[in-house]
Amino acid sequence: MAYKILVLKGDGIGPEVVGEALQVLKTVARQSALELEYKEALAGGASLDAHGTPLHDDVLKAAMDSDAILLGAVGGPKWDNPAAEKRPEQALLALRKNLGLYANLRPVKALKELIAASPLRPEIISGVDLVVVRELTSGIYFGTPSERRVGGAGREAVDTLYYSEAEITRVVKFGFELARQRRKRLASVDKANILASSRLWREIAVEMAAQYKDVAFENVLVDSMAMHLIRRPRDFDVIVTENMFGDILTDEASMLAGSMGLLPSASLGDEINGAGYPIGLYEPIHGSAPDIAGQDKANPLAAILSAAMLLEHSLGMRAEADNIRAAVEAVVREGYRTPDLAAPSAKMVGCKAMGRLVRERLESAEAEG
Ligand code: IPM
Ligand code: MG
């Protein structure tokens, strides 16, 4: 049976990095006699230009009908008008919400060879291996009202941070289950000293901790966590948090790995695909980087590692995913670097060459296999 992969390259460097990730996926598929059927569609600014909407209904339908979705990045200065009603980013939000992808996994691992690329000191970041589970379909991103209006005192605006018990429960549970498969530590991040939604979050997390006595559990305030991530990042294993805290903390955490160009993500829900695994949306955590788009300078590793997560989480192919990760590590170990990771002694390569190197390592591993 062929599995259906929807490919949404998006804007900026999206097409370049996803192009390389796709070729890596094709290499692995050939190696493991896996049948994948690809469908490409527009999303974000590219879709706004072509169809006047960031995500066409047909594309949303195709996404719901896929086994997994591989996405590049959306957005760019061309569509940045703050007064515009339609924005590229809405494509992402619509996919997340409509597919019920409430758990966003963002693993952060400091590769030995890249420690020098981080602005942080080596003794702080060596050995970092954590995963942030970010709630992705609720919170202030989706609460209503969210609007601008004119009130008695002039212009005003409001956003709403809403969470229901069910929304908190399912994602915190996801965090506990993931911690069980790892080093059995879970930190739940909130702002319970100020926000009612955080006090509910904390209450539910503490109740659930009683059912996971084997997991070392702690509550951490989000401002403290921002500090701990820089001061003692090795102490964390799984971190679970609400939508916007997770957005902010994962950009911060990406610096622990050296570059945003290295970090993949998976967004999962409860919907099961034809392979018997969750339908997932896989994308690098970096943006569309319009300043370097089309110049063969982008780092495709985050997109390639997102394809590895796709194989693992949506197709149950852990070994094949690990092969991709090993190939990426080998290329990095050999000293190849895209400009975002530049070091004086590095062998500088572009996006295409980096992708080709990863495929070559996969092929030589197969030949040795
Ligand atoms: C992310 C991004 C998105 C978000 C934007 C592009 C909507 O920053 O995936 O972290 O805020 O969720
Ligand atoms: Mg973000």
Side-chain angles (χ1 to χ4, degrees):
M1 185 174 127
Y3 297 121
K4 285 182 268 185
I5 312 292
L6 179 67
V7 180
L8 302 174
K9 291 182 173 169
D11 308 318
I13 59 171
E16 300 164 58
V17 297
V18 172
E20 296 309 315
L22 256 186
Q23 291 204 54
V24 167
L25 209 48
K26 286 178 181 167
T27 302
V28 172
R30 183 190 51 68
Q31 290 180 332
S32 42
L34 168 72
E35 255 188 273
L36 296 178
E37 199 180 286
Y38 305 94
K39 180 174 173 155
E40 258 194 59
L42 297 177
S47 172
L48 264 176
D49 289 352
H51 306 301
T53 168
L55 192 74
H56 198 281
D57 285 347
D58 293 346
V59 180
L60 185 58
K61 277 203 203 81
M64 290 169 149
D65 189 41
S66 306
D67 294 301
I69 303 144
L70 186 63
L71 187 141
V74 297
K78 182 173 173 196
W79 307 282
D80 251 355
N81 174 10
E85 213 167 279
K86 294 179 179 171
R87 305 172 53 83
E89 291 77 9
Q90 289 161 347
L92 269 182
L93 300 193
L95 283 165
R96 293 167 178 176
K97 189 72 176 177
N98 287 290
L99 293 166
L101 306 173
Y102 62 83
N104 179 217
L105 268 64
R106 298 187 164 188
V108 179
K109 203 169 167 175
L111 293 184
K112 220 173 45 250
E113 294 76 12
L114 289 178
I115 282 177
S118 171
L120 298 169
R121 285 211 308 271
E123 63 270 30
I124 301 270
I125 58 167
S126 75
V128 166
D129 180 5
L130 60 87
V131 183
V132 178
V133 179
R134 167 187 174 194
E135 199 291 324
L136 205 58
T137 54
S138 187
I140 204 163
Y141 274 58
F142 293 97
T144 51
S146 169
E147 64 192 20
R148 243 177 96 128
R149 56 199 180 203
V150 179
R155 287 176 295 179
E156 55 182 40
V158 59
D159 291 295
T160 303
L161 205 181
Y162 168 93
Y163 270 106
S164 70
E165 175 168 8
E167 287 168 341
I168 298 170
T169 302
R170 63 186 182 181
V171 73
V172 172
K173 181 161 190 275
F174 197 106
F176 273 110
E177 292 290 334
L178 184 63
R180 245 185 197 162
Q181 295 162 33
R182 294 174 43 101
R183 301 195 308 276
K184 299 193 168 51
R185 303 176 64 97
L186 179 69
S188 172
V189 173
D190 62 38
K191 187 73 183 172
N193 50 350
I194 300 291
L195 302 174
S197 56
S198 278
R199 284 193 287 277
L200 178 62
W201 182 287
R202 185 174 288 212
E203 193 175 304
I204 291 169
V206 168
E207 284 164 12
M208 204 177 293
Q211 298 153 40
Y212 290 87
K213 291 228 158 60
D214 52 322
V215 175
F217 173 76
E218 60 179 331
N219 295 297
V220 185
L221 292 171
V222 63
D223 45 350
S224 307
M225 184 52 105
M227 175 181 67
H228 296 320
L229 275 177
I230 301 296
R231 214 176 58 179
R232 50 179 190 91
R234 263 195 306 265
D235 289 353
F236 299 98
D237 176 19
V238 180
I239 296 171
V240 66
T241 191
E242 68 93 43
N243 203 342
M244 190 159 73
F245 296 160
D247 178 45
I248 298 168
L249 289 177
T250 51
D251 267 31
E252 184 191 5
S254 74
M255 284 295 106
L256 303 168
S259 162
M260 290 249 277
L262 289 172
L263 293 198
S265 81
S267 302
L268 307 169
D270 293 328
E271 202 71 43
I272 299 302
N273 66 18
Y277 293 89
I279 295 181
L281 168 68
Y282 299 85
E283 55 176 321
I285 87 154
H286 62 67
S288 58
D291 52 321
I292 57 163
Q295 300 169 38
D296 195 34
K297 283 184 183 161
N299 185 345
L301 294 180
I304 289 171
L305 292 169
S306 297
M309 289 190 92
L310 183 157
L311 286 170
E312 175 170 353
H313 296 279
S314 281
L315 300 178
M317 301 177 68
R318 173 73 188 268
E320 289 76 2
D322 284 343
N323 289 344
I324 295 179
R325 294 179 187 122
V328 166
E329 282 172 30
V331 170
V332 169
R333 206 177 316 117
E334 289 160 35
Y336 295 101
R337 301 282 186 275
T338 40
D340 55 312
L341 296 172
S345 63
K347 302 176 201 162
M348 289 280 275
V349 292
C351 182
K352 285 200 178 74
M354 189 57 115
R356 178 168 33 76
L357 283 160
V358 172
R359 295 196 299 280
E360 283 170 9
R361 294 306 166 275
L362 280 166
E363 273 151 10
S364 52
E366 180 186 24
E368 284 162 23

